[in-house]
Amino acid sequence: MYIVFIGPPGAGKGTQANRLVNLLQIPHLSTGEMLRAAVQAESPLGTSVKKFLDGGKLVSDKIIAKVVCERLESDCNNGCLFDGFPRTITQAESLDEFLNRKATPLDLVLELSVPDEVLKRRLSGRGRTDDGVATIENRIEEYKALTTPLFDYYRQRNLLRSVDGVGSQDEVFDRIKDLVDRVRGSAPAQGEPT
Ligand code: AMP
């Protein structure tokens, strides 16, 4: 399965993404992780993106497309979970193009949905230096500005499904599992006519 996982800061996306890739036994394609690893390794890619990561700015769509395309062709031939990607409509279009070329379109775009008030409470309890109230509000606003167009894009393609992210980690994961099962159950088997 190819799944895009989207969630605001503080929604618990990291934990749930890890559990989901373990369950489905698919690679976790986190562009943030890949870029951080490149910076750490001081590779040419790392050198070119370091200032964007340091400044919390988006890396260019062209660089991201290259990174994702290479990864898709390495260990993601039978599916993966996209985390932190796509972040722009251009990236979403590139992803469609890559997957259509492989004749393996996206199965699901999963939104982990948590009300702002709950996010603010959770984030301010984390005690990170970048978790001041104004910063938290900025991060939430930035997320909304960034993802709203993506939601529209995927809603139009009937791929967007929302999961209630409020509750214990197990409760939320059970909801995610149910959703994935439903999507798997309704997908036509490979090779069968649609
Ligand atoms: P993340 O761990 O997903 O929050 O990503 C950390 C940083 O990596 C971001 O602040 C961006 O600088 C960069 N980044 C990660 N994914 C993308 C993406 N899809 N498009 C552009 N920049 C990205």
Side-chain angles (χ1 to χ4, degrees):
M1 285 185 102
Y2 288 95
I3 302 177
V4 169
F5 198 16
I6 306 181
K13 180 164 67 80
T15 311
Q16 299 295 341
N18 283 329
R19 292 181 71 167
L20 189 54
V21 295
N22 278 331
L23 177 80
L24 298 176
Q25 292 291 303
I26 53 174
H28 186 174
L29 193 162
S30 158
T31 42
E33 285 289 313
M34 290 162 75
L35 296 174
R36 276 190 291 277
V39 170
Q40 194 83 38
E42 297 179 3
S43 66
L45 168 68
T47 312
S48 68
V49 299
K50 186 176 184 316
K51 62 174 183 296
F52 295 95
L53 268 77
D54 286 348
K57 297 264 178 287
L58 287 188
V59 171
S60 79
D61 290 333
K62 202 170 155 202
I63 291 180
I64 294 290
K66 186 162 180 279
V67 167
V68 171
C69 186
E70 282 173 8
R71 177 76 189 270
L72 274 174
E73 283 165 8
S74 64
D75 64 333
C76 298
N77 276 311
N78 294 312
C80 69
L81 184 78
F82 297 99
D83 183 355
F85 170 86
R87 282 232 213 341
T88 63
I89 296 289
T90 305
Q91 292 180 13
E93 286 170 349
S94 303
L95 179 59
D96 280 348
E97 198 186 304
F98 298 150
L99 293 179
N100 286 340
R101 225 186 286 153
K102 287 156 60 75
T104 53
L106 267 182
D107 295 284
L108 169 67
V109 177
L110 195 162
E111 178 210 6
L112 196 55
S113 162
V114 177
D116 288 2
E117 291 319 303
V118 179
L119 293 177
K120 284 179 202 166
R121 233 186 358 255
R122 283 191 194 168
L123 286 168
S124 54
R126 272 189 191 173
R128 269 169 42 176
T129 47
D130 59 347
D131 281 347
V133 175
T135 316
I136 290 168
E137 282 175 3
N138 277 342
R139 287 168 63 197
I140 296 172
E141 287 315 312
E142 213 175 67
Y143 167 81
K144 284 190 194 159
L146 214 66
T147 49
T148 305
L150 282 180
F151 285 161
D152 291 341
Y153 182 89
Y154 286 126
R155 205 175 282 121
Q156 279 163 18
R157 285 158 182 74
N158 194 25
L159 285 169
L160 184 69
R161 301 286 179 277
S162 194
V163 164
D164 178 5
V166 180
S168 72
Q169 281 184 8
D170 286 346
E171 282 165 351
V172 174
F173 192 59
D174 282 345
R175 290 177 201 139
I176 292 176
K177 269 194 301 198
D178 283 350
L179 171 63
V180 168
D181 280 346
R182 280 203 304 277
V183 171
R184 277 205 284 203
S186 65
Q190 270 194 346
E192 277 181 16
T194 51

PDB file of all heavy atoms in Angstrom, residues 74-89:
ATOM      1  N   SER A  74      14.314   2.554  -4.793  1.00  0.00           N
ATOM      2  CA  SER A  74      15.207   1.648  -4.058  1.00  0.00           C
ATOM      3  C   SER A  74      14.389   0.635  -3.254  1.00  0.00           C
ATOM      4  O   SER A  74      14.182  -0.488  -3.714  1.00  0.00           O
ATOM      5  CB  SER A  74      16.198   2.423  -3.183  1.00  0.00           C
ATOM      6  OG  SER A  74      15.545   3.141  -2.178  1.00  0.00           O
ATOM      7  N   ASP A  75      13.853   1.039  -2.095  1.00  0.00           N
ATOM      8  CA  ASP A  75      13.189   0.016  -1.252  1.00  0.00           C
ATOM      9  C   ASP A  75      11.671   0.175  -1.173  1.00  0.00           C
ATOM     10  O   ASP A  75      11.048  -0.414  -0.306  1.00  0.00           O
ATOM     11  CB  ASP A  75      13.801   0.028   0.155  1.00  0.00           C
ATOM     12  CG  ASP A  75      13.556   1.346   0.876  1.00  0.00           C
ATOM     13  OD1 ASP A  75      13.399   2.370   0.190  1.00  0.00           O
ATOM     14  OD2 ASP A  75      13.514   1.352   2.112  1.00  0.00           O
ATOM     15  N   CYS A  76      11.086   0.985  -2.047  1.00  0.00           N
ATOM     16  CA  CYS A  76       9.641   1.257  -1.903  1.00  0.00           C
ATOM     17  C   CYS A  76       8.824   0.710  -3.070  1.00  0.00           C
ATOM     18  O   CYS A  76       7.816   1.302  -3.459  1.00  0.00           O
ATOM     19  CB  CYS A  76       9.401   2.753  -1.751  1.00  0.00           C
ATOM     20  SG  CYS A  76      10.172   3.432  -0.280  1.00  0.00           S
ATOM     21  N   ASN A  77       9.266  -0.405  -3.612  1.00  0.00           N
ATOM     22  CA  ASN A  77       8.557  -0.923  -4.781  1.00  0.00           C
ATOM     23  C   ASN A  77       7.223  -1.572  -4.461  1.00  0.00           C
ATOM     24  O   ASN A  77       6.385  -1.751  -5.338  1.00  0.00           O
ATOM     25  CB  ASN A  77       9.454  -1.892  -5.557  1.00  0.00           C
ATOM     26  CG  ASN A  77      10.359  -1.109  -6.481  1.00  0.00           C
ATOM     27  OD1 ASN A  77       9.889  -0.247  -7.221  1.00  0.00           O
ATOM     28  ND2 ASN A  77      11.648  -1.363  -6.408  1.00  0.00           N
ATOM     29  N   ASN A  78       7.055  -1.958  -3.197  1.00  0.00           N
ATOM     30  CA  ASN A  78       5.780  -2.602  -2.831  1.00  0.00           C
ATOM     31  C   ASN A  78       4.963  -1.785  -1.853  1.00  0.00           C
ATOM     32  O   ASN A  78       4.151  -2.339  -1.128  1.00  0.00           O
ATOM     33  CB  ASN A  78       6.061  -3.989  -2.235  1.00  0.00           C
ATOM     34  CG  ASN A  78       6.651  -4.905  -3.279  1.00  0.00           C
ATOM     35  OD1 ASN A  78       6.119  -4.986  -4.383  1.00  0.00           O
ATOM     36  ND2 ASN A  78       7.756  -5.542  -2.950  1.00  0.00           N
ATOM     37  N   GLY A  79       5.213  -0.491  -1.829  1.00  0.00           N
ATOM     38  CA  GLY A  79       4.439   0.372  -0.950  1.00  0.00           C
ATOM     39  C   GLY A  79       5.329   1.082   0.039  1.00  0.00           C
ATOM     40  O   GLY A  79       6.495   0.723   0.228  1.00  0.00           O
ATOM     41  N   CYS A  80       4.786   2.108   0.671  1.00  0.00           N
ATOM     42  CA  CYS A  80       5.486   2.812   1.755  1.00  0.00           C
ATOM     43  C   CYS A  80       4.527   3.812   2.387  1.00  0.00           C
ATOM     44  O   CYS A  80       3.434   4.057   1.865  1.00  0.00           O
ATOM     45  CB  CYS A  80       6.746   3.525   1.254  1.00  0.00           C
ATOM     46  SG  CYS A  80       6.437   4.928   0.194  1.00  0.00           S
ATOM     47  N   LEU A  81       4.974   4.335   3.510  1.00  0.00           N
ATOM     48  CA  LEU A  81       4.206   5.373   4.192  1.00  0.00           C
ATOM     49  C   LEU A  81       4.954   6.695   4.015  1.00  0.00           C
ATOM     50  O   LEU A  81       6.106   6.826   4.448  1.00  0.00           O
ATOM     51  CB  LEU A  81       4.098   5.039   5.690  1.00  0.00           C
ATOM     52  CG  LEU A  81       3.242   6.008   6.492  1.00  0.00           C
ATOM     53  CD1 LEU A  81       1.768   5.717   6.269  1.00  0.00           C
ATOM     54  CD2 LEU A  81       3.551   5.905   7.976  1.00  0.00           C
ATOM     55  N   PHE A  82       4.313   7.642   3.358  1.00  0.00           N
ATOM     56  CA  PHE A  82       4.921   8.961   3.168  1.00  0.00           C
ATOM     57  C   PHE A  82       4.613   9.829   4.384  1.00  0.00           C
ATOM     58  O   PHE A  82       3.440   9.994   4.744  1.00  0.00           O
ATOM     59  CB  PHE A  82       4.361   9.644   1.914  1.00  0.00           C
ATOM     60  CG  PHE A  82       4.670   8.906   0.641  1.00  0.00           C
ATOM     61  CD1 PHE A  82       3.725   8.074   0.058  1.00  0.00           C
ATOM     62  CD2 PHE A  82       5.909   9.049   0.037  1.00  0.00           C
ATOM     63  CE1 PHE A  82       4.010   7.396  -1.116  1.00  0.00           C
ATOM     64  CE2 PHE A  82       6.201   8.375  -1.142  1.00  0.00           C
ATOM     65  CZ  PHE A  82       5.255   7.545  -1.715  1.00  0.00           C
ATOM     66  N   ASP A  83       5.670  10.379   4.964  1.00  0.00           N
ATOM     67  CA  ASP A  83       5.517  11.172   6.179  1.00  0.00           C
ATOM     68  C   ASP A  83       6.264  12.491   5.958  1.00  0.00           C
ATOM     69  O   ASP A  83       7.461  12.481   5.690  1.00  0.00           O
ATOM     70  CB  ASP A  83       6.138  10.352   7.328  1.00  0.00           C
ATOM     71  CG  ASP A  83       5.995  11.014   8.678  1.00  0.00           C
ATOM     72  OD1 ASP A  83       5.504  12.148   8.738  1.00  0.00           O
ATOM     73  OD2 ASP A  83       6.387  10.370   9.672  1.00  0.00           O
ATOM     74  N   GLY A  84       5.546  13.604   6.036  1.00  0.00           N
ATOM     75  CA  GLY A  84       6.203  14.901   5.789  1.00  0.00           C
ATOM     76  C   GLY A  84       6.295  15.231   4.314  1.00  0.00           C
ATOM     77  O   GLY A  84       6.914  16.206   3.918  1.00  0.00           O
ATOM     78  N   PHE A  85       5.685  14.424   3.497  1.00  0.00           N
ATOM     79  CA  PHE A  85       5.665  14.587   2.045  1.00  0.00           C
ATOM     80  C   PHE A  85       4.343  14.032   1.540  1.00  0.00           C
ATOM     81  O   PHE A  85       3.935  12.965   2.027  1.00  0.00           O
ATOM     82  CB  PHE A  85       6.836  13.823   1.412  1.00  0.00           C
ATOM     83  CG  PHE A  85       6.758  13.748  -0.093  1.00  0.00           C
ATOM     84  CD1 PHE A  85       7.269  14.756  -0.880  1.00  0.00           C
ATOM     85  CD2 PHE A  85       6.132  12.663  -0.713  1.00  0.00           C
ATOM     86  CE1 PHE A  85       7.178  14.681  -2.269  1.00  0.00           C
ATOM     87  CE2 PHE A  85       6.035  12.589  -2.093  1.00  0.00           C
ATOM     88  CZ  PHE A  85       6.563  13.605  -2.865  1.00  0.00           C
ATOM     89  N   PRO A  86       3.659  14.631   0.596  1.00  0.00           N
ATOM     90  CA  PRO A  86       3.964  15.925  -0.012  1.00  0.00           C
ATOM     91  C   PRO A  86       3.573  17.075   0.904  1.00  0.00           C
ATOM     92  O   PRO A  86       2.693  16.946   1.742  1.00  0.00           O
ATOM     93  CB  PRO A  86       3.109  15.921  -1.280  1.00  0.00           C
ATOM     94  CG  PRO A  86       1.964  15.008  -0.987  1.00  0.00           C
ATOM     95  CD  PRO A  86       2.473  13.995  -0.012  1.00  0.00           C
ATOM     96  N   ARG A  87       4.242  18.201   0.711  1.00  0.00           N
ATOM     97  CA  ARG A  87       3.953  19.397   1.491  1.00  0.00           C
ATOM     98  C   ARG A  87       3.391  20.502   0.606  1.00  0.00           C
ATOM     99  O   ARG A  87       2.939  21.523   1.118  1.00  0.00           O
ATOM    100  CB  ARG A  87       5.236  19.911   2.147  1.00  0.00           C
ATOM    101  CG  ARG A  87       5.630  19.104   3.403  1.00  0.00           C
ATOM    102  CD  ARG A  87       5.837  20.018   4.495  1.00  0.00           C
ATOM    103  NE  ARG A  87       6.676  20.063   5.608  1.00  0.00           N
ATOM    104  CZ  ARG A  87       7.375  19.185   6.268  1.00  0.00           C
ATOM    105  NH1 ARG A  87       7.460  17.975   5.892  1.00  0.00           N
ATOM    106  NH2 ARG A  87       8.016  19.496   7.352  1.00  0.00           N
ATOM    107  N   THR A  88       3.463  20.347  -0.696  1.00  0.00           N
ATOM    108  CA  THR A  88       2.924  21.356  -1.621  1.00  0.00           C
ATOM    109  C   THR A  88       2.168  20.621  -2.733  1.00  0.00           C
ATOM    110  O   THR A  88       2.354  19.415  -2.924  1.00  0.00           O
ATOM    111  CB  THR A  88       4.070  22.165  -2.289  1.00  0.00           C
ATOM    112  OG1 THR A  88       4.862  21.259  -3.068  1.00  0.00           O
ATOM    113  CG2 THR A  88       4.958  22.853  -1.276  1.00  0.00           C
ATOM    114  N   ILE A  89       1.353  21.394  -3.454  1.00  0.00           N
ATOM    115  CA  ILE A  89       0.601  20.785  -4.563  1.00  0.00           C
ATOM    116  C   ILE A  89       1.570  20.263  -5.627  1.00  0.00           C
ATOM    117  O   ILE A  89       1.373  19.184  -6.179  1.00  0.00           O
ATOM    118  CB  ILE A  89      -0.376  21.817  -5.197  1.00  0.00           C
ATOM    119  CG1 ILE A  89      -1.430  22.223  -4.171  1.00  0.00           C
ATOM    120  CG2 ILE A  89      -1.025  21.263  -6.462  1.00  0.00           C
ATOM    121  CD1 ILE A  89      -2.447  21.162  -3.821  1.00  0.00           C
TER     122      ILE A  89
END
